[in-house]
Amino acid sequence: MLLGFIQIAITLVILVAITPLLGGYMARVFLGQKTMLDPVMRPLERLIYALSGLRHQTSMTVWQYIRAVIFSNLIMGAFAFLIFMLQGVLPLNPINLDAPSWDLALHTAISFVTNTNQQHYSGESTYGYFSQMLALGFLMFTSAGTGIAVAIAFIRGLTGRDLGNFYVDLTMSITRILLPISIVGAVILLAAGVPETLAGPATAKTLDGATQYIARGPVAHFEIIKELGENGGGFFGINSAHPFENPNNLTNLLETVIMMAIPASLIYTYGVIVGNTKQAWLLFWMVFVIFAALISVAAIGEYQGNPIVNSILDTNAPNLEGKEVRFGAFLTALWAAATTGTMCGAVNGMHDSLMPSGGMVTMFNLFLQIVWGGQGTGTAYLFIFLILTVFLTGLMVGRTPEFLGRKIEKREIVLASVILLVHPIMILIPGAIAMAFTQIPGINPGITNPGFHGYSQVIYEYASAAANNGSGFEGLIDDTVWWNLSTSVALLAGRYLPLIALLLLADGMMHKQPVPETTGTLRTDTGLFTGITAGVILILGALTFLPVFALGPIAEAFLIARIASGAA
C-alpha cells in the first residue's frame, strides 16, 4: 500500500513541478512574447496564414469568433465522416476494412471533432491506418487546439482585452504547444516500446500450429496526442491497457502526467495573463486537494478489494478484475481519476470493473468537469464557478459582485447558469429515457447489468458524452443506432452550447467599464474566498447529482456489503 501511494505521490510532484514551466510558456505564446520556438515556428505560421488567406492580425468580434469555431469544426467533422464512409477504397488499409455503418461513422466524427473520442467500436478492427491518421489523428490536434483557443479568448475577455482571432489561436495552439510536445513525446514512447509502423498485422505460429494475427500500426504518434490533447481515443480497442499503447511503468507515468499537463498549467497561464499568479496558485491548490482526495478514495477502495470475493476466499486481496497486473490497483485508480478529471477518457483498466467508490470518483469528475477539466474548457468552467461564488458572497456580505475589476450582473449569471445547466440536462433526460426502454417488452437498450451497476452504466455513458470525456462503463452494448445518435446529441450540446455561452460571457466582461478597487472590494485572491469557492463547487455538484449517486454506486456499495456479510 505504501509503495502504491509513493507512486501516486511521484506523479503528482512531477505535475506540480511542470505547471509553472508549461503554464508560463503558454502565457508567453498567447501574449505574443518571445519563445525558443520562434525561429522554427514563425516561418511555418506565416506559410499557413499565407496559404489560407487568413488576416491573422485582425481581432474578431464575439460572433465572428463563434462562427469561426462552429464552421471550422463542421467542415472538419464532415471531412472525417467522408473518409470513414470511403474507407473501403482508400489506401493504408492493410486488412481491407469496409466502411462502418453510417450511424457509427457519424458518431465517431462528432465524437472526435468535439474532443471527446467516445468509441463505440474497436479501433484495430474498424478503422484502417488512413482513417486513424488522416481523420482521427487530425481531429485530435484540431479539437484540442479549439479548446485551448476558446479558453485563451475567455481569459482575454475577462481581463478587458479583445477576444483575438480564432484561427490564429488555433494555429498557435497546435504549432507552439501540441505539435512540439507530441514530437518529443512520440520519440520517447517509440524508444520505450510503442510501435510506429505502416506494416500490416504481424503473424505468428502458436504452439498448437494455428496462425495468430497481431494488430499493430502507427501507434506512438497517435498515443501521445491522445493523452496530451485530452482526446482519449485508443488505436486499439482496449486503449491504454494494450501493451502496444502503454507497455510499461515508464510509459504509464509519462502518459498519466501528460494528460494532466495542459489543463493544470492553464490555471497558471491565467494567472500570468491577468497579472495575479497568487490567485492562480490558490485555485491550483484548491483543485489539487480535491483531486488528491478523489485519488485516495479510488485507490483505497481498489486496494481493499471486493468484500464478496475476499469473504469467500478468506483473504484480503486488491480488486484486480479488469486491470493490467503491470499497473496494479493503485496506478489504475490514479489513471481512472486523472482521465475522468481531465476529460481525457483514455483508460489503462476497465472502469466497469472498479469498486463502487472508484466508479463514484470517476462519475463525480465527469459531473464537475473542473478537476482538472477539459482541454481549455475545464479552466473556463472553473472561472464560471468563481464568478458564481463572487455573486453569492457579494449578496451575503452586501458588496457589489466584482471580478477582475468588472461587475457581475444579471447577464453574466444567466450565461453562467446556462453553462452549468446544459450538462445535467444532457445527462439526466436521455438517461431517464434509456432506462425507461428497459420497461418496454422487446426493446433491449444494451444494458448488460440490470441492477444498480446497470443504472451507473447508462448515466456514465451520457455523462462521458456531455462532458466530452469519452470513457465508459464498457459493459454497455453501445454500437446501436440509439446509442450512436442519442450520445451524438449529448456530444454536440455538451461541447458547443457552453462554448458559445463562455465566449458571450467573456465578450460582456470585455465591454464593461473597469471599477477601481476600494476597501469595499471583495478580494478573490485569498485563502478564505478560495475555500468558499471549493464549497460552492462541491455543494452544486452534490445537489445536482446526489440522486444519481444514491441510485448507482452508493446503492451498489450497500448491496455488495450486504452480500459479503451474508457470505462471511
Side-chain angles (χ1 to χ4, degrees), residues 338-379:
T339 194
T340 51
T342 61
M343 303 306 131
C344 177
V347 296
N348 73 347
M350 294 301 101
H351 290 186
D352 192 51
S353 298
L354 293 172
M355 296 302 296
S357 58
M360 186 167 68
V361 164
T362 59
M363 293 173 72
F364 188 80
N365 280 333
L366 296 180
F367 295 155
L368 285 188
Q369 300 189 87
I370 54 93
V371 188
W372 302 90
Q375 188 79 303
T377 57
T379 306

mmCIF file of all heavy atoms in Angstrom, residues 338-379:
data_model
loop_
_atom_site.group_PDB
_atom_site.id
_atom_site.type_symbol
_atom_site.label_atom_id
_atom_site.label_comp_id
_atom_site.label_asym_id
_atom_site.label_seq_id
_atom_site.Cartn_x
_atom_site.Cartn_y
_atom_site.Cartn_z
ATOM 1 N N ALA A 338 -7.440 10.536 -13.022
ATOM 2 C CA ALA A 338 -6.832 11.534 -13.903
ATOM 3 C C ALA A 338 -7.568 11.639 -15.231
ATOM 4 O O ALA A 338 -7.815 12.736 -15.737
ATOM 5 C CB ALA A 338 -5.363 11.193 -14.145
ATOM 6 N N THR A 339 -7.941 10.504 -15.799
ATOM 7 C CA THR A 339 -8.549 10.531 -17.131
ATOM 8 C C THR A 339 -9.968 11.082 -17.116
ATOM 9 O O THR A 339 -10.422 11.696 -18.081
ATOM 10 C CB THR A 339 -8.520 9.129 -17.766
ATOM 11 O OG1 THR A 339 -8.819 9.229 -19.160
ATOM 12 C CG2 THR A 339 -9.535 8.199 -17.112
ATOM 13 N N THR A 340 -10.694 10.893 -16.010
ATOM 14 C CA THR A 340 -12.033 11.479 -15.906
ATOM 15 C C THR A 340 -11.968 12.896 -15.359
ATOM 16 O O THR A 340 -12.838 13.719 -15.651
ATOM 17 C CB THR A 340 -12.939 10.625 -15.004
ATOM 18 O OG1 THR A 340 -12.285 10.368 -13.747
ATOM 19 C CG2 THR A 340 -13.265 9.298 -15.673
ATOM 20 N N GLY A 341 -10.925 13.192 -14.575
ATOM 21 C CA GLY A 341 -10.762 14.554 -14.096
ATOM 22 C C GLY A 341 -10.368 15.506 -15.198
ATOM 23 O O GLY A 341 -10.816 16.649 -15.239
ATOM 24 N N THR A 342 -9.540 15.049 -16.128
ATOM 25 C CA THR A 342 -9.081 15.902 -17.219
ATOM 26 C C THR A 342 -9.955 15.802 -18.455
ATOM 27 O O THR A 342 -9.679 16.440 -19.462
ATOM 28 C CB THR A 342 -7.648 15.524 -17.623
ATOM 29 O OG1 THR A 342 -7.634 14.161 -18.065
ATOM 30 C CG2 THR A 342 -6.689 15.703 -16.462
ATOM 31 N N MET A 343 -10.984 15.003 -18.466
ATOM 32 C CA MET A 343 -11.834 14.764 -19.633
ATOM 33 C C MET A 343 -11.040 14.141 -20.779
ATOM 34 O O MET A 343 -11.380 14.320 -21.951
ATOM 35 C CB MET A 343 -12.517 16.049 -20.117
ATOM 36 C CG MET A 343 -13.349 16.740 -19.057
ATOM 37 S SD MET A 343 -14.558 15.628 -18.306
ATOM 38 C CE MET A 343 -14.271 15.930 -16.579
ATOM 39 N N CYS A 344 -9.985 13.398 -20.436
ATOM 40 C CA CYS A 344 -9.204 12.716 -21.468
ATOM 41 C C CYS A 344 -9.965 11.492 -21.973
ATOM 42 O O CYS A 344 -10.223 11.361 -23.159
ATOM 43 C CB CYS A 344 -7.839 12.311 -20.925
ATOM 44 S SG CYS A 344 -6.834 11.377 -22.084
ATOM 45 N N GLY A 345 -10.338 10.607 -21.065
ATOM 46 C CA GLY A 345 -11.135 9.442 -21.451
ATOM 47 C C GLY A 345 -10.351 8.202 -21.781
ATOM 48 O O GLY A 345 -10.932 7.128 -21.960
ATOM 49 N N ALA A 346 -9.010 8.303 -21.879
ATOM 50 C CA ALA A 346 -8.202 7.102 -22.083
ATOM 51 C C ALA A 346 -8.277 6.229 -20.833
ATOM 52 O O ALA A 346 -8.513 6.730 -19.725
ATOM 53 C CB ALA A 346 -6.756 7.493 -22.371
ATOM 54 N N VAL A 347 -8.080 4.934 -20.985
ATOM 55 C CA VAL A 347 -8.142 4.028 -19.828
ATOM 56 C C VAL A 347 -6.971 3.054 -19.872
ATOM 57 O O VAL A 347 -6.549 2.628 -20.935
ATOM 58 C CB VAL A 347 -9.478 3.233 -19.790
ATOM 59 C CG1 VAL A 347 -10.657 4.161 -19.598
ATOM 60 C CG2 VAL A 347 -9.671 2.407 -21.056
ATOM 61 N N ASN A 348 -6.440 2.712 -18.693
ATOM 62 C CA ASN A 348 -5.460 1.629 -18.613
ATOM 63 C C ASN A 348 -6.016 0.462 -17.819
ATOM 64 O O ASN A 348 -5.301 -0.459 -17.432
ATOM 65 C CB ASN A 348 -4.135 2.122 -18.021
ATOM 66 C CG ASN A 348 -4.207 2.384 -16.529
ATOM 67 O OD1 ASN A 348 -5.288 2.443 -15.932
ATOM 68 N ND2 ASN A 348 -3.058 2.567 -15.895
ATOM 69 N N GLY A 349 -7.309 0.488 -17.553
ATOM 70 C CA GLY A 349 -8.053 -0.579 -16.904
ATOM 71 C C GLY A 349 -9.529 -0.317 -17.169
ATOM 72 O O GLY A 349 -9.901 0.791 -17.571
ATOM 73 N N MET A 350 -10.350 -1.297 -16.962
ATOM 74 C CA MET A 350 -11.768 -1.143 -17.284
ATOM 75 C C MET A 350 -12.529 -0.478 -16.134
ATOM 76 O O MET A 350 -12.585 -1.013 -15.020
ATOM 77 C CB MET A 350 -12.387 -2.500 -17.601
ATOM 78 C CG MET A 350 -11.824 -3.142 -18.870
ATOM 79 S SD MET A 350 -12.049 -2.143 -20.357
ATOM 80 C CE MET A 350 -10.432 -1.394 -20.582
ATOM 81 N N HIS A 351 -13.108 0.670 -16.388
ATOM 82 C CA HIS A 351 -13.870 1.381 -15.358
ATOM 83 C C HIS A 351 -15.090 0.581 -14.912
ATOM 84 O O HIS A 351 -15.571 0.749 -13.800
ATOM 85 C CB HIS A 351 -14.302 2.753 -15.874
ATOM 86 C CG HIS A 351 -13.165 3.702 -16.035
ATOM 87 N ND1 HIS A 351 -13.332 5.036 -16.366
ATOM 88 C CD2 HIS A 351 -11.816 3.530 -15.892
ATOM 89 C CE1 HIS A 351 -12.156 5.624 -16.438
ATOM 90 N NE2 HIS A 351 -11.227 4.738 -16.161
ATOM 91 N N ASP A 352 -15.595 -0.259 -15.776
ATOM 92 C CA ASP A 352 -16.747 -1.090 -15.425
ATOM 93 C C ASP A 352 -16.422 -2.039 -14.272
ATOM 94 O O ASP A 352 -17.324 -2.501 -13.572
ATOM 95 C CB ASP A 352 -17.184 -1.900 -16.659
ATOM 96 C CG ASP A 352 -18.532 -2.560 -16.478
ATOM 97 O OD1 ASP A 352 -19.481 -1.855 -16.093
ATOM 98 O OD2 ASP A 352 -18.641 -3.776 -16.704
ATOM 99 N N SER A 353 -15.127 -2.326 -14.084
ATOM 100 C CA SER A 353 -14.703 -3.254 -13.032
ATOM 101 C C SER A 353 -14.276 -2.558 -11.746
ATOM 102 O O SER A 353 -13.860 -3.219 -10.798
ATOM 103 C CB SER A 353 -13.541 -4.125 -13.542
ATOM 104 O OG SER A 353 -13.938 -4.911 -14.643
ATOM 105 N N LEU A 354 -14.330 -1.245 -11.712
ATOM 106 C CA LEU A 354 -13.963 -0.528 -10.494
ATOM 107 C C LEU A 354 -14.947 -0.835 -9.369
ATOM 108 O O LEU A 354 -16.133 -1.111 -9.612
ATOM 109 C CB LEU A 354 -13.948 0.976 -10.747
ATOM 110 C CG LEU A 354 -12.866 1.524 -11.688
ATOM 111 C CD1 LEU A 354 -13.124 2.996 -11.985
ATOM 112 C CD2 LEU A 354 -11.471 1.331 -11.099
ATOM 113 N N MET A 355 -14.458 -0.780 -8.144
ATOM 114 C CA MET A 355 -15.346 -0.873 -6.999
ATOM 115 C C MET A 355 -16.281 0.340 -6.979
ATOM 116 O O MET A 355 -15.990 1.357 -7.615
ATOM 117 C CB MET A 355 -14.537 -0.952 -5.704
ATOM 118 C CG MET A 355 -13.677 -2.204 -5.585
ATOM 119 S SD MET A 355 -14.654 -3.721 -5.697
ATOM 120 C CE MET A 355 -15.686 -3.582 -4.243
ATOM 121 N N PRO A 356 -17.411 0.274 -6.286
ATOM 122 C CA PRO A 356 -18.348 1.410 -6.287
ATOM 123 C C PRO A 356 -17.700 2.747 -5.923
ATOM 124 O O PRO A 356 -18.048 3.776 -6.498
ATOM 125 C CB PRO A 356 -19.387 0.993 -5.248
ATOM 126 C CG PRO A 356 -19.393 -0.492 -5.316
ATOM 127 C CD PRO A 356 -17.961 -0.880 -5.568
ATOM 128 N N SER A 357 -16.725 2.743 -4.989
ATOM 129 C CA SER A 357 -16.062 4.003 -4.631
ATOM 130 C C SER A 357 -15.275 4.555 -5.805
ATOM 131 O O SER A 357 -15.286 5.772 -6.070
ATOM 132 C CB SER A 357 -15.130 3.791 -3.429
ATOM 133 O OG SER A 357 -14.161 2.785 -3.712
ATOM 134 N N GLY A 358 -14.590 3.688 -6.550
ATOM 135 C CA GLY A 358 -13.861 4.129 -7.731
ATOM 136 C C GLY A 358 -14.794 4.598 -8.828
ATOM 137 O O GLY A 358 -14.539 5.607 -9.492
ATOM 138 N N GLY A 359 -15.895 3.868 -9.026
ATOM 139 C CA GLY A 359 -16.875 4.297 -10.018
ATOM 140 C C GLY A 359 -17.486 5.641 -9.666
ATOM 141 O O GLY A 359 -17.736 6.472 -10.546
ATOM 142 N N MET A 360 -17.718 5.883 -8.367
ATOM 143 C CA MET A 360 -18.283 7.157 -7.945
ATOM 144 C C MET A 360 -17.290 8.296 -8.172
ATOM 145 O O MET A 360 -17.691 9.396 -8.567
ATOM 146 C CB MET A 360 -18.686 7.104 -6.466
ATOM 147 C CG MET A 360 -19.420 8.357 -5.978
ATOM 148 S SD MET A 360 -20.202 8.151 -4.365
ATOM 149 C CE MET A 360 -18.754 8.017 -3.332
ATOM 150 N N VAL A 361 -15.998 8.037 -7.964
ATOM 151 C CA VAL A 361 -14.976 9.064 -8.214
ATOM 152 C C VAL A 361 -14.972 9.456 -9.685
ATOM 153 O O VAL A 361 -14.941 10.647 -10.025
ATOM 154 C CB VAL A 361 -13.585 8.550 -7.777
ATOM 155 C CG1 VAL A 361 -12.477 9.410 -8.369
ATOM 156 C CG2 VAL A 361 -13.476 8.538 -6.258
ATOM 157 N N THR A 362 -14.994 8.469 -10.571
ATOM 158 C CA THR A 362 -14.967 8.785 -11.998
ATOM 159 C C THR A 362 -16.218 9.562 -12.416
ATOM 160 O O THR A 362 -16.134 10.526 -13.184
ATOM 161 C CB THR A 362 -14.845 7.509 -12.844
ATOM 162 O OG1 THR A 362 -15.950 6.635 -12.573
ATOM 163 C CG2 THR A 362 -13.548 6.764 -12.537
ATOM 164 N N MET A 363 -17.372 9.173 -11.905
ATOM 165 C CA MET A 363 -18.610 9.885 -12.242
ATOM 166 C C MET A 363 -18.608 11.290 -11.646
ATOM 167 O O MET A 363 -19.061 12.251 -12.278
ATOM 168 C CB MET A 363 -19.819 9.086 -11.749
ATOM 169 C CG MET A 363 -20.013 7.762 -12.478
ATOM 170 S SD MET A 363 -21.316 6.735 -11.754
ATOM 171 C CE MET A 363 -22.769 7.649 -12.242
ATOM 172 N N PHE A 364 -18.083 11.433 -10.434
ATOM 173 C CA PHE A 364 -18.009 12.741 -9.784
ATOM 174 C C PHE A 364 -17.177 13.706 -10.623
ATOM 175 O O PHE A 364 -17.533 14.871 -10.813
ATOM 176 C CB PHE A 364 -17.400 12.575 -8.390
ATOM 177 C CG PHE A 364 -17.433 13.825 -7.544
ATOM 178 C CD1 PHE A 364 -18.594 14.192 -6.878
ATOM 179 C CD2 PHE A 364 -16.312 14.632 -7.421
ATOM 180 C CE1 PHE A 364 -18.630 15.345 -6.093
ATOM 181 C CE2 PHE A 364 -16.333 15.775 -6.640
ATOM 182 C CZ PHE A 364 -17.502 16.134 -5.978
ATOM 183 N N ASN A 365 -16.054 13.210 -11.156
ATOM 184 C CA ASN A 365 -15.213 14.043 -12.022
ATOM 185 C C ASN A 365 -15.960 14.472 -13.276
ATOM 186 O O ASN A 365 -15.872 15.619 -13.710
ATOM 187 C CB ASN A 365 -13.951 13.274 -12.415
ATOM 188 C CG ASN A 365 -12.898 13.281 -11.333
ATOM 189 O OD1 ASN A 365 -12.835 14.199 -10.515
ATOM 190 N ND2 ASN A 365 -12.060 12.267 -11.306
ATOM 191 N N LEU A 366 -16.695 13.533 -13.876
ATOM 192 C CA LEU A 366 -17.448 13.858 -15.084
ATOM 193 C C LEU A 366 -18.538 14.884 -14.793
ATOM 194 O O LEU A 366 -18.853 15.718 -15.643
ATOM 195 C CB LEU A 366 -18.084 12.593 -15.662
ATOM 196 C CG LEU A 366 -17.130 11.508 -16.159
ATOM 197 C CD1 LEU A 366 -17.917 10.327 -16.711
ATOM 198 C CD2 LEU A 366 -16.173 12.043 -17.205
ATOM 199 N N PHE A 367 -19.116 14.827 -13.615
ATOM 200 C CA PHE A 367 -20.184 15.767 -13.267
ATOM 201 C C PHE A 367 -19.626 17.173 -13.034
ATOM 202 O O PHE A 367 -20.231 18.167 -13.445
ATOM 203 C CB PHE A 367 -20.926 15.287 -12.024
ATOM 204 C CG PHE A 367 -21.672 13.992 -12.222
ATOM 205 C CD1 PHE A 367 -21.949 13.159 -11.140
ATOM 206 C CD2 PHE A 367 -22.097 13.597 -13.467
ATOM 207 C CE1 PHE A 367 -22.634 11.974 -11.304
ATOM 208 C CE2 PHE A 367 -22.787 12.395 -13.650
ATOM 209 C CZ PHE A 367 -23.054 11.585 -12.563
ATOM 210 N N LEU A 368 -18.466 17.281 -12.355
ATOM 211 C CA LEU A 368 -17.922 18.595 -12.026
ATOM 212 C C LEU A 368 -17.205 19.257 -13.202
ATOM 213 O O LEU A 368 -17.291 20.469 -13.391
ATOM 214 C CB LEU A 368 -16.949 18.483 -10.850
ATOM 215 C CG LEU A 368 -17.546 18.287 -9.463
ATOM 216 C CD1 LEU A 368 -16.454 18.385 -8.408
ATOM 217 C CD2 LEU A 368 -18.642 19.301 -9.164
ATOM 218 N N GLN A 369 -16.423 18.519 -13.941
ATOM 219 C CA GLN A 369 -15.698 18.980 -15.140
ATOM 220 C C GLN A 369 -14.591 20.006 -14.859
ATOM 221 O O GLN A 369 -14.146 20.682 -15.776
ATOM 222 C CB GLN A 369 -16.655 19.603 -16.163
ATOM 223 C CG GLN A 369 -17.734 18.687 -16.684
ATOM 224 C CD GLN A 369 -18.474 19.315 -17.844
ATOM 225 O OE1 GLN A 369 -18.075 19.206 -18.989
ATOM 226 N NE2 GLN A 369 -19.572 19.998 -17.548
ATOM 227 N N ILE A 370 -14.141 20.124 -13.631
ATOM 228 C CA ILE A 370 -13.094 21.129 -13.353
ATOM 229 C C ILE A 370 -11.903 20.546 -12.605
ATOM 230 O O ILE A 370 -11.027 21.291 -12.164
ATOM 231 C CB ILE A 370 -13.668 22.329 -12.560
ATOM 232 C CG1 ILE A 370 -14.402 21.903 -11.280
ATOM 233 C CG2 ILE A 370 -14.604 23.137 -13.425
ATOM 234 C CD1 ILE A 370 -13.578 21.881 -10.057
ATOM 235 N N VAL A 371 -11.840 19.207 -12.473
ATOM 236 C CA VAL A 371 -10.742 18.587 -11.708
ATOM 237 C C VAL A 371 -9.960 17.634 -12.621
ATOM 238 O O VAL A 371 -10.095 16.442 -12.520
ATOM 239 C CB VAL A 371 -11.276 17.796 -10.498
ATOM 240 C CG1 VAL A 371 -10.136 17.321 -9.612
ATOM 241 C CG2 VAL A 371 -12.296 18.565 -9.701
ATOM 242 N N TRP A 372 -9.197 18.076 -13.501
ATOM 243 C CA TRP A 372 -8.764 19.407 -13.902
ATOM 244 C C TRP A 372 -9.602 19.990 -15.035
ATOM 245 O O TRP A 372 -9.431 21.140 -15.428
ATOM 246 C CB TRP A 372 -7.291 19.355 -14.318
ATOM 247 C CG TRP A 372 -6.418 18.855 -13.232
ATOM 248 C CD1 TRP A 372 -6.061 17.565 -12.980
ATOM 249 C CD2 TRP A 372 -5.795 19.652 -12.214
ATOM 250 N NE1 TRP A 372 -5.250 17.513 -11.871
ATOM 251 C CE2 TRP A 372 -5.078 18.777 -11.390
ATOM 252 C CE3 TRP A 372 -5.776 21.021 -11.934
ATOM 253 C CZ2 TRP A 372 -4.346 19.209 -10.298
ATOM 254 C CZ3 TRP A 372 -5.046 21.439 -10.855
ATOM 255 C CH2 TRP A 372 -4.330 20.543 -10.034
ATOM 256 N N GLY A 373 -10.445 19.219 -15.581
ATOM 257 C CA GLY A 373 -11.346 19.702 -16.610
ATOM 258 C C GLY A 373 -10.850 19.438 -18.012
ATOM 259 O O GLY A 373 -9.750 18.956 -18.241
ATOM 260 N N GLY A 374 -11.717 19.766 -18.986
ATOM 261 C CA GLY A 374 -11.405 19.518 -20.385
ATOM 262 C C GLY A 374 -10.296 20.414 -20.899
ATOM 263 O O GLY A 374 -9.872 21.366 -20.241
ATOM 264 N N GLN A 375 -9.835 20.100 -22.111
ATOM 265 C CA GLN A 375 -8.733 20.851 -22.720
ATOM 266 C C GLN A 375 -9.143 22.302 -22.938
ATOM 267 O O GLN A 375 -9.849 22.632 -23.867
ATOM 268 C CB GLN A 375 -8.361 20.206 -24.051
ATOM 269 C CG GLN A 375 -7.115 20.768 -24.706
ATOM 270 C CD GLN A 375 -5.847 20.207 -24.084
ATOM 271 O OE1 GLN A 375 -5.635 20.334 -22.884
ATOM 272 N NE2 GLN A 375 -5.011 19.589 -24.871
ATOM 273 N N GLY A 376 -8.718 23.176 -22.061
ATOM 274 C CA GLY A 376 -9.093 24.579 -22.153
ATOM 275 C C GLY A 376 -10.419 24.872 -21.484
ATOM 276 O O GLY A 376 -10.532 25.793 -20.676
ATOM 277 N N THR A 377 -11.427 24.080 -21.786
ATOM 278 C CA THR A 377 -12.764 24.349 -21.253
ATOM 279 C C THR A 377 -12.832 24.147 -19.749
ATOM 280 O O THR A 377 -13.604 24.814 -19.066
ATOM 281 C CB THR A 377 -13.808 23.456 -21.939
ATOM 282 O OG1 THR A 377 -13.440 22.076 -21.769
ATOM 283 C CG2 THR A 377 -13.888 23.749 -23.426
ATOM 284 N N GLY A 378 -12.024 23.215 -19.223
ATOM 285 C CA GLY A 378 -12.041 22.990 -17.781
ATOM 286 C C GLY A 378 -11.620 24.230 -17.015
ATOM 287 O O GLY A 378 -12.207 24.574 -15.986
ATOM 288 N N THR A 379 -10.592 24.917 -17.519
ATOM 289 C CA THR A 379 -10.147 26.159 -16.890
ATOM 290 C C THR A 379 -11.250 27.209 -16.942
ATOM 291 O O THR A 379 -11.505 27.925 -15.967
ATOM 292 C CB THR A 379 -8.886 26.691 -17.597
ATOM 293 O OG1 THR A 379 -7.891 25.658 -17.614
ATOM 294 C CG2 THR A 379 -8.334 27.913 -16.882
#
